């Protein structure tokens, strides 16, 4: 098997596959007020998406995370999960979801082979949550979705994007939730990919600050960082139950061992989310090109992967607003 490797020697193992750019929520750090959707005929079919995964799996990609937009608004997505689960070389499929439709789909997703879900829950205060996601009356549905996913045996984590002055007063509440339920809570640094271009470095709460705040109440210990992970996990010294994850995409992005590749719903391969470079697989997929030709193109595209933002961070030249997050999937 020839691996998918870039010119800095980084090898792709994980795929973030965006199955749609559409969403039933309007999170203020993600969607523009007037989103421009990918035209329907440009969105890859399930067959095309599964073929891309098969080709990537033949080059060593073994873990797939479905994302969006909101993956559960794409009708029949559990069929895609099943198709991907049967691809040789794929060891794990997970999903990042806003959780609204999770209660209805949890069972079908688990049966189709999904291993886990990460549910985005940015506040434990219903009103504030609904303000952030731009839709009223949805908090309870998301919480019910989390419970349903646990009931069917899916591994469940929570993502909370922390924005200064918005929800950074809830860190202890989230930590208590984790200690009570055992659900891992991941705090994500606000990234400059919001649709309304409101991002500002002043609104980022750095992972190190979050750790400092939590350490005033808890004795936390770091767990070993998995190769390629942007998340540092911490356990509580006084409790076996609960885990905190800190996603330091801005303050410490770990570009040097990044092992991810992304594919958007329109078939554009994105080797690095901090770069504008995209490589369109759709013309090849739709012109009858054989797998070998597509995999050669992918290898060429991935070899050109952007070095990353670690050095740029030191000079304060962080790339911003490249594409709104709902078009890529995080
Ligand atoms: N709709 C799903 C959801 O919200 O979980 C999946 C797609 S969403 C784009 C993937 C993840 O990116 C979510 O956890 C979301 O909160 C996060 N996200 C969106 N915009 C972000 C931003 N500007 N900075 C950091 N994370 C962001
Ligand atoms: Fe939709 Fe997820 Fe973006 Fe919120 S973060 S608008 S739920 S895609």
């Amino acid at each position: 098997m020839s691996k998918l490797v870039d010119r800095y020697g980084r090898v792709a193992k994980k795929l973030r596959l965006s199955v749609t750019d559409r969403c039933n929520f309007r999170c203020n750090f993600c969607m523009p007020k007037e989103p421009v959707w990918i035209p329907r005929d440009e969105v890859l079919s399930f067959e095309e998406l599964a073929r891309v995964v098969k080709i990537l799996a033949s080059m060593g990609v073994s873990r797939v995370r479905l994302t969006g937009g909101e993956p559960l608004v794409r009708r029949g997505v559990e069929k895609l999960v099943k198709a991907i689960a049967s691809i040789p070389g794929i060891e794990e499929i997970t999903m990042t979801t806003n959780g609204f439709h999770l209660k209805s789909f949890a069972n079908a997703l688990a049966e189709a082979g999904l291993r886990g879900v990460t549910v985005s829950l940015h506040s434990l205060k219903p009103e504030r949550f609904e303000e952030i996601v731009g839709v009223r009356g949805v908090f309870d549905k998301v919480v019910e979705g989390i419970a349903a996913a646990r009931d069917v045996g899916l591994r469940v984590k929570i993502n909370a994007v922390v924005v200064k002055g918005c929800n950074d007063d809830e860190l202890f509440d989230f930590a208590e939730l984790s200690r009570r339920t055992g659900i891992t809570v991941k705090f994500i640094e606000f990234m400059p990919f919001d649709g309304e271009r409101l991002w500002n470095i002043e609104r980022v709460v750095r992972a190190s600050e979050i750790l400092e705040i939590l350490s005033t109440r808890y004795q936390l210990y770091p767990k070993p960082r998995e190769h390629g992970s942007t998340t540092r996990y911490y356990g509580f010294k006084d409790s076996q139950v609960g885990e905190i994850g800190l996603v330091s995409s801005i303050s410490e992005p770990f570009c040097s061992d990044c092992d991810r590749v992304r594919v958007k719903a329109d078939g554009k391969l994105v080797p690095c989310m901090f770069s504008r470079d995209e490589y369109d697989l759709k013309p090849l997929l739709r012109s009858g090109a054989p797998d070998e030709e597509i995999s050669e193109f992918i290898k060429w595209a991935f070899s050109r992967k952007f070095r990353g933002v670690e050095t740029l961070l030191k000079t304060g030249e962080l790339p911003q607003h490249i594409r709104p997050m709902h078009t890529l999937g995080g």
Side-chain angles (χ1 to χ4, degrees):
M1 174 179 40
S2 105
K3 289 184 201 160
L4 194 50
V5 56
D6 73 13
R7 61 196 145 154
Y8 304 105
R10 295 172 298 184
V11 179
K13 301 245 173 62
K14 299 177 198 140
L15 166 66
R16 297 240 169 136
L17 184 62
S18 174
V19 301
T20 179
D21 60 335
R22 283 155 214 262
C23 186
N24 51 331
F25 284 9
R26 293 287 178 273
C27 300
N28 55 23
F29 43 67
C30 174
M31 279 266 176
K33 285 209 170 65
E34 290 178 19
V36 181
W37 307 118
I38 299 170
R40 293 215 182 258
D41 60 343
E42 287 183 26
V43 174
L44 296 194
S45 66
F46 286 160
E47 290 71 24
E48 289 168 329
L49 289 169
R51 185 171 176 216
V52 171
V53 178
K54 192 181 104 202
I55 293 169
L56 287 169
S58 75
M59 293 187 276
V61 169
S62 58
R63 286 158 71 173
V64 180
R65 175 169 292 275
L66 300 183
T67 178
E70 172 48 39
L72 294 180
V73 301
R74 177 124 187 218
R75 205 168 303 157
V77 73
E78 67 282 4
K79 296 193 191 91
L80 178 66
V81 171
K82 194 164 182 197
I84 294 175
S86 70
I87 293 172
I90 296 300
E91 291 164 10
E92 183 179 276
I93 315 170
T94 53
M95 179 182 281
T96 304
T97 169
N98 66 30
F100 181 82
H101 291 296
L102 196 49
K103 190 174 174 189
S104 317
F105 284 100
N107 197 36
L109 289 169
E111 280 185 356
L114 197 80
R115 165 97 192 281
V117 282
T118 301
V119 182
S120 297
L121 185 69
H122 312 291
S123 173
L124 300 176
K125 300 178 195 286
E127 256 189 51
R128 179 184 282 176
F129 176 77
E130 290 166 8
E131 181 78 37
I132 294 170
V133 304
V135 193
R136 292 274 155 230
V138 294
F139 180 84
D140 289 347
K141 285 272 284 188
V142 175
V143 172
E144 285 168 19
I146 292 173
R150 298 190 93 194
D151 285 349
V152 299
L154 289 169
R155 189 185 65 201
V156 179
K157 292 184 183 177
I158 286 175
N159 267 358
V161 177
V162 184
V163 180
K164 196 162 273 172
C166 170
N167 58 355
D168 55 336
D169 56 346
E170 292 189 62
L171 301 178
F172 293 126
D173 297 342
F174 276 113
E176 285 303 315
L177 172 80
S178 179
R179 287 162 66 87
R180 204 169 56 244
T181 62
I183 296 177
T184 299
V185 175
K186 290 171 69 175
F187 295 117
I188 305 178
E189 288 178 347
F190 183 19
M191 288 187 256
F193 303 133
D194 58 309
E196 286 297 307
R197 299 176 168 247
L198 298 172
W199 184 89
N200 176 323
I201 192 75
E202 305 297 325
R203 304 209 72 193
V204 177
V205 186
R206 290 169 168 253
S208 56
E209 289 176 59
I210 297 175
L211 184 61
E212 216 171 285
I213 293 167
L214 291 176
S215 300
T216 61
R217 185 174 299 179
Y218 308 109
Q219 286 207 310
L220 294 161
Y221 68 91
K223 300 190 173 177
R225 184 175 78 93
E226 192 190 308
H227 181 272
S229 176
T230 51
T231 310
R232 274 280 171 106
Y233 289 100
Y234 292 81
F236 297 93
K237 279 193 185 160
D238 67 339
S239 166
Q240 300 272 43
V241 183
E243 186 182 51
I244 296 300
L246 300 178
V247 186
S248 53
S249 319
I250 297 293
S251 62
E252 198 182 2
F254 299 114
C255 303
S256 57
D257 65 0
C258 176
D259 59 0
R260 281 173 301 278
V261 59
R262 294 171 164 85
V263 174
K264 301 197 324 180
D266 57 2
K268 303 235 172 74
L269 182 121
V270 180
C272 170
M273 72 191 301
F274 279 100
S275 160
R276 283 182 202 282
D277 296 346
E278 302 191 347
Y279 301 88
D280 199 353
L281 306 179
K282 194 168 6 69
L284 289 171
L285 289 165
R286 293 192 176 171
S287 66
D291 286 2
E292 296 68 34
E293 192 179 337
I294 299 174
S295 69
E296 282 309 312
F297 179 71
I298 292 176
K299 265 189 233 161
W300 170 79
F302 191 76
S303 73
R304 297 161 61 89
K305 177 167 169 149
F306 179 51
R307 181 178 202 147
V309 288
E310 266 166 0
T311 46
L312 295 180
L313 285 174
K314 294 193 185 95
T315 57
E317 297 170 77
L318 189 68
Q320 295 177 28
H321 308 302
I322 293 170
R323 45 180 96 67
M325 200 63 117
H326 75 102
T327 66
L328 187 64

